[in-house]
Amino acid sequence: MALTLIFTIFLSTTKAENNKLFREYIGAEFTNVKFSDVPINPDLQFDFILSFAIDYTNSASSPTPTNGKFNVFWDTKNLSPTKVSSIKSKHPNVRVGLSLGGDSIFNNPAYFQPKSINSWVSNAVSSLTHIIEHFKLDGIDIDYEHFKGDPEMFAECIGQLISILKRKGLVKYASIAPFDDQDVQNHYQTLWKKYGHVIDYVNFQFYAYDNSTTIPKFIDYFEQQMENYKGGKILTSFISDGSKGLAPTKGFFSACEMLKKRQQLFGIFVWCADESKNLGFRYEKQGQNLLASL
């Protein structure tokens, strides 16, 4: 009886912790934002996601793909290995991960463009191991948005990469960041069907929908993605300036409250700290307060 009670308490505690996840992309726009600028609620699991590591050369004039050999493209001056260690030491509830890909590199599309599955995975494991160990990172996020490899190749490359990094103990968690585009969804859903068991969170970019999104429509979109990524922890999301999707000023948090009542609010993420800095992180505070009340 006692063991049953302890197990029940453990399950309910784990569920509460899992639902109190707040994530923020940071570093892509070089606005001098620092980890320490961002408000962090101690009652949540808080993830910073460094944006981005890309398998391209760092030549601004003519960036070229490197077949899985990743380079760092975030603001390393303000988001250095020392700063990573400092924010994690100051806030034990903080994890720091990195995101792969992103939309563009020096205003050109950043393509997923492997030469072969084996060569890409080998190069990616090697280069990312160095970056993860150097920055003392905890997790990985996949945010490729343009593709020159088919969905099956994407699924194998990314699925094998995550599996190897987890097996080696280099990352504790992994997430994917799809949005509602047919080609994007084809690639990520193929990945999910084969490797969903190694993916912890789905950072679905709900802010990629247009800015006419209403609360009922947002809920519809959320339910669609629950079907597309069955069994996944789908996180809600907003963009800092509210220019797309369901803005914080137009009902985003009301929609989150509705999902919360259904026990479907697994967490919230934001694009991005770089833009929120000038807004005083007002919506980050509001979102974290909502999650802390779960």
Side-chain angles (χ1 to χ4, degrees):
M1 183 73 172
L3 283 174
T4 303
L5 179 61
I6 290 168
F7 185 64
T8 303
I9 292 169
F10 170 76
L11 282 179
S12 62
T13 303
T14 301
K15 183 177 180 182
E17 288 173 351
N18 287 342
N19 288 359
K20 293 185 176 184
L21 174 63
F22 192 89
R23 318 189 86 197
E24 182 116 27
Y25 288 86
I26 189 169
E29 298 182 7
F30 290 79
T31 60
N32 292 316
V33 67
K34 302 175 178 64
F35 294 124
S36 57
D37 293 333
V38 183
I40 297 169
N41 188 312
D43 297 326
L44 306 179
Q45 177 63 66
F46 192 108
D47 290 351
F48 283 108
I49 306 174
L50 292 164
S51 311
F52 291 95
I54 313 174
D55 53 332
Y56 268 72
T57 61
N58 54 15
S59 167
S61 59
S62 58
T64 55
T66 54
N67 191 40
K69 296 178 181 178
F70 283 87
N71 288 306
V72 170
F73 287 90
W74 64 77
D75 180 4
T76 54
K77 177 183 175 184
N78 291 294
L79 306 168
S80 64
T82 302
K83 299 296 184 184
V84 171
S85 296
S86 176
I87 197 68
K88 292 203 290 184
S89 175
K90 187 175 180 181
H91 297 278
N93 62 316
V94 164
R95 302 182 298 191
V96 182
L98 80 168
S99 186
L100 306 186
D103 175 56
S104 61
I105 176 168
F106 302 123
N107 298 315
N108 298 293
Y111 284 99
F112 172 74
Q113 192 172 343
K115 290 183 178 177
S116 69
I117 293 170
N118 288 344
S119 64
W120 190 94
V121 171
S122 176
N123 289 337
V125 169
S126 177
S127 59
L128 288 171
T129 295
H130 172 74
I131 294 169
I132 289 165
E133 290 181 340
H134 182 61
F135 282 85
K136 296 181 172 61
L137 303 178
D138 305 297
I140 190 170
D141 176 66
I142 310 300
D143 189 23
Y144 280 105
E145 302 185 4
H146 307 283
F147 308 92
K148 289 189 176 178
D150 63 32
E152 289 72 25
M153 180 173 275
F154 179 70
E156 283 304 321
C157 286
I158 300 301
Q160 289 184 32
L161 171 65
I162 294 171
S163 299
I164 292 168
L165 293 179
K166 280 192 165 187
R167 189 164 63 244
K168 287 175 172 282
L170 288 162
V171 299
K172 302 179 183 71
Y173 58 88
S175 58
I176 56 175
F179 57 94
D180 191 34
D181 170 271
Q182 185 174 346
D183 192 40
V184 169
Q185 290 280 55
N186 285 343
H187 281 77
Y188 281 94
Q189 287 176 39
T190 301
L191 168 63
W192 181 259
K193 284 170 185 171
K194 188 159 188 181
Y195 287 98
H197 61 284
V198 297
I199 298 166
D200 301 280
Y201 315 111
V202 179
N203 286 10
F204 197 82
Q205 298 182 45
F206 289 100
Y207 47 81
Y209 291 106
D210 65 50
N211 62 8
S212 66
T213 302
T214 61
I215 293 173
K217 202 67 183 169
F218 184 93
I219 298 297
D220 287 344
Y221 292 150
F222 184 87
E223 290 173 348
Q224 288 171 22
Q225 302 318 318
M226 290 281 284
E227 283 297 310
N228 288 334
Y229 301 93
K230 281 184 181 290
K233 293 176 182 173
I234 315 293
L235 274 61
T236 62
S237 58
F238 66 87
I239 191 167
S240 300
D241 65 4
S243 59
K244 296 183 289 185
L246 182 59
T249 56
K250 294 183 178 179
F252 172 79
F253 294 114
S254 296
C256 289
E257 288 282 2
M258 293 174 67
L259 294 172
K260 174 182 167 184
K261 288 175 182 176
R262 299 181 184 184
Q263 296 187 320
Q264 292 179 324
L265 184 61
F266 302 109
I268 296 171
F269 78 91
V270 185
W271 178 270
C272 59
D274 308 57
E275 297 176 11
S276 291
K277 182 181 178 182
N278 288 336
L279 300 170
F281 299 99
R282 68 185 75 163
Y283 302 123
E284 278 82 352
K285 295 171 188 174
Q286 191 172 347
Q288 290 182 67
N289 288 340
L290 187 157
L291 290 172
S293 68
L294 286 171

